[in-house]
Amino acid sequence: MSTTSPPTPAAAPPPALFHPTVARLTYRTLLGSRRALILFALPALLLVIAVAVRALAGADDTTAKEILGGFALATLVPLIGVIAGTGAIGPEIDDGSVVYLLAKPVRRSTIVLTKLTVATGVTLVFSAVPVLVAGFILNGNSQQIAVAYAVAAAIASVAYAAVFLLLGTITRHAVVIGLVYALVWESLFGNLVPGARTLSIQQWALALGGRLAPDSTITSDVALPTAAVLLIAVTAAATWYATRRLRALTLAGEE
């Protein structure tokens, strides 16, 4: 009499890294509120400045670098990152609606990664793309300046989204702290104080994006290997700790 062995249980599927419903809700939060007005206004301001400068001064590489580096990368990109990163999760924590999300059978890591993906995508669209367009307007991408700064903006977008998403899980004052970082540290100290530049996401991104331009056209105070390591480390650490903070939130009724 033959016997049949019990079927081997199927291996559990790997955890999902992206949840469409969470992404849709996050997009709605970011683009369906007053934040959307600022998201559209900042890139529009950059393009208006680029058109005006080109019309008044003509194509000039030095002017293009000053506007793309001094305004776009130092101010516009971190501000967009603040709006997208903190807005991806901060409002849900502030008004308590996050408990409904946490009650769903969705891993905390999936929630964080999905919101980070959305925040990064929004930051890319509203910062890197306008930087590229503005660069072509200013000097027609002479010496690859437009492409280099656009790539730097794209790289910075990932790190900013992660850092400001983390802030949204830590404090109710994430927007204020993010604005202080963007306007004081990145825009002021990051451009004026040499020692502070080594701890600037802007400088790390410049080290990578600047490699696309001819030598000495776009420079950074941080060496390329160091910049790459710091960008990866900060992004990974911020994502990991944001997941940990989300896991620590207590659902209503569990206390």
Side-chain angles (χ1 to χ4, degrees):
M1 181 177 175
S2 61
T3 59
T4 58
S5 58
T8 303
L17 301 179
F18 186 84
H19 196 282
T21 302
V22 175
R24 184 171 62 254
L25 294 174
T26 306
Y27 274 118
R28 185 181 302 172
T29 300
L30 290 176
L31 302 179
S33 63
R34 288 177 296 178
R35 291 182 182 84
L37 297 177
I38 303 176
L39 288 173
F40 282 100
L42 289 173
L45 176 61
L46 172 62
L47 296 178
V48 168
I49 292 174
V51 171
V53 169
R54 179 62 185 266
L56 295 174
D60 181 75
D61 292 349
T62 301
T63 302
K65 288 170 55 180
E66 290 176 353
I67 294 176
L68 296 180
F71 172 68
L73 195 61
T75 303
L76 182 142
V77 180
L79 283 179
I80 296 292
V82 170
I83 297 167
T86 60
I89 196 169
E92 293 174 303
I93 295 178
D94 291 343
D95 63 20
S97 62
V98 71
V99 298
Y100 300 104
L101 179 60
L102 298 180
K104 304 296 182 182
V106 182
R107 293 172 63 94
R108 303 297 188 266
S109 58
T110 300
I111 294 173
V112 169
L113 289 173
T114 300
K115 288 184 173 293
L116 176 60
T117 300
V118 173
T120 300
V122 170
T123 308
L124 280 169
V125 170
F126 286 94
S127 61
V129 174
V131 166
L132 179 64
V133 175
F136 272 94
I137 293 173
L138 286 165
N139 75 338
N141 195 36
S142 173
Q143 299 192 70
Q144 293 292 309
I145 288 176
V147 172
Y149 276 106
V151 170
I155 293 170
S157 295
V158 181
Y160 284 133
V163 169
F164 296 131
L165 179 69
L166 169 62
L167 276 179
T169 67
I170 292 177
T171 175
R172 293 178 179 270
H173 307 292
V175 174
V176 175
I177 296 173
L179 288 175
V180 170
Y181 174 84
L183 297 176
V184 177
W185 186 263
E186 291 284 32
S187 298
L188 185 60
F189 287 98
N191 285 326
L192 300 179
V193 182
R197 296 174 186 171
T198 58
L199 298 178
S200 166
I201 293 175
Q202 171 195 348
Q203 292 296 321
W204 304 343
L206 272 177
L208 276 72
R211 299 293 294 179
L212 299 175
D215 292 343
S216 301
T217 301
I218 298 175
T219 59
S220 171
D221 286 9
V222 184
L224 179 61
T226 303
V229 170
L230 288 172
L231 280 167
I232 294 172
V234 166
T235 303
T239 304
W240 170 80
Y241 195 64
T243 303
R244 184 173 178 179
R245 289 287 303 179
L246 203 60
R247 285 175 178 153
L249 291 178
T250 304
L251 294 175
E254 288 185 351
E255 295 182 347

